[in-house]
Amino acid sequence: MAAEVQPLQPVKLPKGPSTITSEQKYWNSFASELRLDPSQHSSPITHISIPYQPASNLLVAAQELFAVTTGSRVQIFSSKTRKVVKNISRFGVDDIAHSGAIRRDGRIVVAGGDSGTIQAFDLNSRAILKTWKEHKQPVWVTQWHPSELTSLMSCSDDQTVRLWDLPSDKSTIKFDGHQDYVRCGSFMPAQSGLIVSGSYDQTVRLWDTRASGKAVMVFKHAAPVEAVLPMPSGTAVLATSDNTISVLDIVAAKPMHMLRNHQKTVTALSLANNGERLLSGGLDGHVKVFETTGWNVVAGMKYPSPILSLSVIPSQNEDKHIAVGMQTGLLSVRTRLSGEQKALAREREKEMKALMEGKIDEYDRSRKRKRGKGWAKKLRGKDFTGEGADVVIDGNARGKIHNSFPWAYALRVGQYAKALDMVLEQNDANAREHSITLLTALRHRSTLPSALANRDEVTLQPILRWLIKHVSDYRITRLTTDIALVVLDMYADQLGRSEEIDMLFERLVMMVRDVVDTSQTAVSVAGVVDCLTSCAMSGPAVEA
Amino acid sequence: MADVNGMPKLKRKREGAEPLRKKVKTQRKSKTEDAEGETSTPLKAPVSTPSSSNADMKPAPPSSLKKEPTPTPQRSQANSASAADSSTPKARKDKKRDRNQKKDEPKASEAKEPFVERETPTTVVVNGDNADKSTKKEKKQKKRKGKQNDQWSLSEPQGGWFLQQDPVFSPDEKHLLLAKLKTLEVYATETSLLAKELPVGGSGVILSYATSSAQSNQAYIADSAGMITLWDWTNGSKIGRWDIGANVRHLDVVKQPGSDQDLLYTHETGNSHVINVHALRTGAQASKTELRRILKTSKPISGLQVLLGGKIVVASSANCVMVGKRAKLHKTAVQDFEYVWREFETSGRITTFSAYIHIPGAEKSKKPLQDPRDNLDLAIGDSEGVIHLFEDIFTSFAAIEKSQKEKAGKAIGLESLRPKRLHWHREAVGSLKWSRDGNYLISGGDETVLTIWQLSTGKQQHLPHLTAAIENVVVSPSGASYAISLANNSVIVLSTSELLAKTNIIGLQSRRVDQEQQPRESNSSTYSFELFGPVPMTVDSKNSHVIFATPSSQPHRHHGGLLPEPYAQTYDIATHRAVARQALTRNNATDTNVDPEGQRVREPNVQFIQTSHDGMWLATVDEWLPPSSAMGHIEEGDLKANEEERLFRRESYLKIWRWDEKGAQWVLDARIDAPHFHKGVAAHARVVDLVADPSCTGFATVGDDRIVRVWRPKTRTRDGIVVRGGDRMQGLVTWSLDRSIGIPSKLDIDESDQTLQDLSTLQSCHLAFSADGSALAAGVSWASGTDPGVIHIIDADEGIIRRSITEIDITELSGLGIFGRYLIAVSNTIVVWDMVIDQFVHSMPIDTPGVDTAHRAQLVRLAVNEEDGTFAVSAPRFEKEEKAGSRRFLKTSTRVSVFDPNHPKALWNRSVPGIVLALASAKGGRGYITLDASSSIRTISPKATTQQLPTPPPETMPLLLTDSVDVDEIDDAKQKPYLQLDASEELLRDSENDKPVVRPEQLQAIFESGSSNALPAVRDLFDAIVGLYARKPRASGVVGAV
């Protein structure tokens, strides 16, 4: 039976090695970046934290807040507006705040300081609720217990980890054992009653809150431990020491993976995508995204200065912001806009642009003309003129012919020159693909000469311009050379009649020379590299 | 056609006509098949009336027409002697004399015929020649009987092309009659299914056929043995049989005026072209069988149409149309038929014509024969695509004849008739028909478009893109549908109202080599044999399907070179039906198929097709080269350089298709551009061979860049995670290069200056996988006469050449196979090499008469069947006919031999008519499948003997392998469970359900008895492992055995 007309298959050229994966696309979609200096003195941002969010707690409304600790202040940001809500700066004169943390009900903020004090503030009034001065050295970690509202922990440079109860004046439990500064620590999730801490003595220790005393488990590393992060399952802990991230299995009591993707010390870890991705930030200014099953790097971002703190801030069960604090005091909040918001933002941008250019009337008119899809339906039948007139409905017995591009139709009906003109007129994103597809099709049908023949000064130009543009594409060299040869074959004797054509030919010649030079260089480089590699391969054998 | 029922009964009994009967005898074959049916009843009649015949007739010379099917010179004399209108009422051969003469001949078996009471239909012979044939036939039958005792059998051919003749509708339009060379097939139009098959026995092939106009359930079939047989196609019985001793090219049946019996208008060929009218009668009326010649011409007649019950006969030759009108209409006896012929010439070559009688007024059925003025409209299609329309041609004839009376009878020029010109078709008009009411013309052309012309308005309706040239168009008896036969061996029935296909009959579409394209005695030395090159074919191991490459359209008129084959057809051998056809490359189905210069746009040609071992993947290699005509822009006069430039523009693709269960089709999964590549010149290299890995999914190719590449799928992972997509829950798969192994030439050609000349020294190369996929053999023969070539045995896992066998001469390598421990190479001889002991085993010669060694490599095929432990070789034979006939084509046949590698003698030999273009082993079964140049498939299968049934089925190869595993391999097996953690491994692991499941713990239990020095005896270990692996197959596997 009659074969259906299929659209012309586009020619797909081989792709280079770097393609954007869907994962990269996702992380690139955190595009709307806000950069600010919250301390105003360019003090490094040492800590970003979000209130602990239980996975399935529907009773307590999620606190759309996050705390950024920089210099001598803790700033509370709203994760809805990315604006500062509260500014807590009631620290000593030369005190530096550390580890501001919001309790999960959003009422109390706790923070440590360089002086060794731990302070609890009421978030609304910013009043100091409690001050503990038990630590003799700077306190680097304060963290609220995930389930108990009054319980919190702290880690200090005095080599201790302590557990506190909000009403009491003294620490409830003190864990001794670290030999050096304790710079990181965290409660383990899932009612395990464990605390994990990492220290500059190159160990990660697990403490049992039900029994004070020695550490339950110790993992020795090769370098000071900068950050620890328990996995939500409670069976694994991530710890960073120098430029490696180790995945520690606390059930089997052995490290599972060592991730060595950073160049410099990894300083911050954060989980994203409900614990399926891990983000790590380092002094090399890179944020790397790992997937947490095979621990492969799936995406990465680069920041202008060393990263000290990092947090992925979720909102309504999906990641909303990536907040990164840097050495230079810069806070970067990258936000992923949802589809609707994106459209709105675009619209707003357009409107602003129109306003700036003074074309707002035009813009308004164009807005109005856009009507919904149902508009045509509403009007259907309104033009009915009565019984007298016959309405002829033309049926298409052969089914729908795929409505492809006009140039493809021209090609199908044998108007080769017209198709070529059409495709060379195009200047949208598909222009290159279309032109290559068409020219390949013309070559397959031996119709290149007839498509290129009988052109005048004006109509020959687009072809020459196309050649100049594409002659350097090594993937279609056979095609471009063939076209150039056909053009030369046809129009060589016409040279010198038109200035513009002559100029284009000259440019083409220059382009070809360039390409030839480049490829010669490439070949000679390849030769040298071949030589080197073969030397390297045979080298050990010679030594042996 | 005109209705002749209403005409007055003018039938006259003409006793005297009897001697003119040409028929020796007619045979009745009754349904009961009893002795009565075999008695030749009419025999006495001719003998009893010898004298009365001469009374009426002009005495005919006593020459025997029977002996030579061509007209006798006497008859031509008679022709010229008769009236100037060239109709010859008299020249008849005297049958009776003939018979008498034969009686005098003692040698002819026929001589005794009148005295023989019983004869079987097959032995009815007329002259000495035929007698020879019959005895030969008997001998052949005897031979076959002798062969039938051996273990292998060759099936009857399946498939084949439909005759290039208008398809015939049954009067009720429920059936469509189509003929192949040996059978008349009746298809039901409603279901498109084959309803009945009438085998036409004997040595001849069907030339033409037509249904009887008197009895709608009867059909006449004319064959090349000079016979016309009458069949009842509804029940498949033979009714009558006449020997007319001539090849009937066209056959038209009308009712004899004045009776309700058939008149056959036949166009018979021989030294000259003749149109005869036959009245063939059976049974009691057999004596009334008559013959009348109405036209004899030297021009080859290409078409014949009979209108108004024989009142008007139109015939066409290459550039001439002859219109005959019967004179003396009141005389309805056959012998009184006289025709006035007028002919005129056309400028173009006539490809088709159609005539239509306009009956003026309403008195349609009222004595149409009496009407002196029949408006005959004639439409002629020519090779330029023009349709010439002549309206009321007799009036024009009359006018012209009046004006130039003295020149009457001479050829009339086309222009003087002033035809209308209808020109839409770009290429030759393939077929042309009037609609039943005469208001429309339906034409179909080579550009695959069916056009319907409304003559009153000049409007056209088109049905484009029928994918193949239209060869025949037929309007059904009621006018409700059109039957269209296409040049891809398919017939479509369209409804006239909405032009939708109601019936679709598809035959085997593979490459057909017509006799005109075959080598002749005169050119056998220069013949290129490229037409007989291999057709890519593979057997789908999932089912009984055969997949092979087909051209898009093979018009019967086309006798050019090799056509590209861009499509694949799937044919089910079990049900004898074409299952599917799908495009494997780009094609011109919906595009203009000629370029501006009028050259046909060539599609890429599929060179290789292979299915994976599980039938889930299909690999194809296609190649395209720009035509040399398109290389004008680099034309520099140097032919060699031009050709080289052309080769640089080769496009070659390896495509991997995945079987889509839901859509029941192959879906393109991966396309690998330039699987082989000449780096130095940045050009696609030619792919020389493609094989599938028989043990796991993977394919290997070798190209003329001298690299063997192994392609395997990898489960696609992105960032360490298996990518799932579409309907595939198992994860997407990426096909990539697994290994590439350079094959060094023995010649040590300097690699630094790789020019094309240098590379073309690779003359032929073939690959073969061992059954377990561990070894890959690559046989390379170089174009150097001094170098006998080399076979490399490559370790497929490591990608290292383990052994290079130079001891075998494989200069003209045409096939390579590995079976078990044996390597089989087919070149000048068939060589069997034992790879285990590394020794030559034996060799067998191949005989290909008529083909020189340079061409032999592309004509000989090899297939290895693991299942039954044999291999088959087909070798073509081009032989001179014993008797030097007028046809100087060589007789073609193919010798197919089945070998057991253990024996130096062939197990079985058989000569197959025609040239085998593809040979493949039946995967997962026993035997072989051949595809020949007439597009028919035959299966060669071993005969199952009764003793085989009670024994368990033969052990399969994997079992054999595990039986003989050594300790190293068992270690491998132990590690397997760990490896299976890998997702891709899991996916691609073939499911060998029949194998016993051996858990790693079981194996471990055997080996964990302590350190290596404390292991039990090797024999005990072996027994323990055999106990694990070689336990009885599961019950389901041996149902037949129990």
Side-chain angles (χ1 to χ4, degrees), chain A residues 208-494:
Chain A
D208 193 339
T209 56
R210 291 158 294 194
S212 61
K214 288 186 93 180
V216 186
M217 207 176 277
V218 180
F219 293 96
K220 182 90 172 95
H221 286 77
V225 178
E226 291 282 354
V228 291
L229 182 72
M231 291 295 288
S233 62
T235 57
V237 170
L238 306 164
T240 70
S241 60
D242 198 12
N243 60 356
T244 60
I245 304 168
S246 50
V247 183
L248 311 169
D249 187 343
I250 63 170
V251 179
K254 64 180 183 187
M256 287 195 296
H257 291 275
M258 302 294 276
L259 316 177
R260 295 174 210 275
N261 300 74
H262 279 280
Q263 297 300 313
K264 291 187 182 174
T265 308
V266 185
T267 51
L269 295 173
S270 175
L271 286 172
N273 281 15
N274 297 321
E276 282 168 13
R277 297 286 180 274
L278 168 75
L279 271 72
S280 67
L283 294 182
D284 51 3
H286 279 284
V287 169
K288 299 202 187 244
V289 184
F290 299 83
E291 47 89 17
T292 56
T293 46
W295 301 101
N296 296 294
V297 175
V298 295
M301 287 158 262
K302 175 80 174 98
Y303 286 89
S305 51
I307 292 162
L308 293 183
S309 55
L310 161 75
S311 181
V312 177
I313 296 151
S315 167
Q316 283 150 2
N317 286 329
E318 61 173 12
D319 298 336
K320 188 87 176 148
H321 312 282
I322 302 172
V324 171
M326 281 164 272
Q327 170 79 49
T328 52
L330 205 62
L331 174 73
S332 150
V333 183
R334 289 190 181 197
T335 306
R336 180 170 190 260
L337 297 174
S338 64
E340 236 171 87
Q341 286 169 312
K342 228 187 254 174
L344 270 176
R346 220 180 307 135
E347 203 52 53
R348 211 179 302 134
E349 210 169 274
K350 260 191 213 164
E351 202 173 345
M352 285 306 287
K353 199 181 160 203
L355 204 61
M356 298 283 278
E357 290 170 350
K359 290 179 187 164
I360 190 73
D361 285 352
E362 240 172 77
Y363 172 78
D364 276 354
R365 250 181 284 127
S366 70
R367 288 273 307 154
K368 231 179 199 175
R369 218 182 293 138
K370 264 187 206 158
R371 284 159 179 164
K373 271 185 186 167
W375 202 257
K377 207 185 253 179
K378 242 188 239 173
L379 286 174
R380 191 180 296 163
K382 292 270 168 71
D383 54 349
F384 182 61
T385 49
E387 292 289 327
D390 283 344
V391 179
V392 180
I393 298 163
D394 241 354
N396 190 348
R398 270 186 268 134
K400 200 179 171 221
I401 290 181
H402 183 85
N403 252 339
S404 57
F405 305 100
W407 58 264
Y409 178 77
L411 171 74
R412 205 162 70 71
V413 298
Q415 300 165 331
Y416 303 117
K418 190 181 162 195
L420 188 58
D421 287 343
M422 277 177 176
V423 90
L424 292 180
E425 265 169 32
Q426 262 185 331
N427 54 1
D428 54 1
N430 296 325
R432 208 178 72 113
E433 188 191 359
H434 287 180
S435 58
I436 293 171
T437 303
L438 176 72
L439 286 163
T440 312
L442 290 177
R443 197 161 77 113
H444 285 160
R445 291 165 204 202
S446 315
T447 44
L448 265 182
S450 67
L452 295 170
N454 302 325
R455 283 173 182 271
D456 58 14
E457 190 186 343
V458 182
T459 49
L460 186 60
Q461 283 186 26
I463 291 157
L464 292 172
R465 282 183 211 285
W466 186 89
L467 278 174
I468 291 163
K469 197 173 165 189
H470 289 93
V471 81
S472 60
D473 191 338
Y474 56 91
R475 297 168 296 186
I476 51 167
T477 308
R478 289 256 171 239
L479 184 66
T480 44
T481 45
D482 265 1
I483 295 165
L485 285 171
V486 172
V487 168
L488 282 174
D489 196 37
M490 284 176 175
Y491 300 103
D493 50 345
Q494 311 279 323

Side-chain angles (χ1 to χ4, degrees), chain A residues 3 298 444-445 447 478 482, chain B residues 465 586 591 649 651 681 719:
Chain A
V298 295
H444 285 160
R445 291 165 204 202
T447 44
R478 289 256 171 239
D482 265 1
Chain B
H465 314 324
R586 66 166 190 271
D591 290 318
R649 282 159 179 78
E651 284 180 17
V681 292
D719 310 325

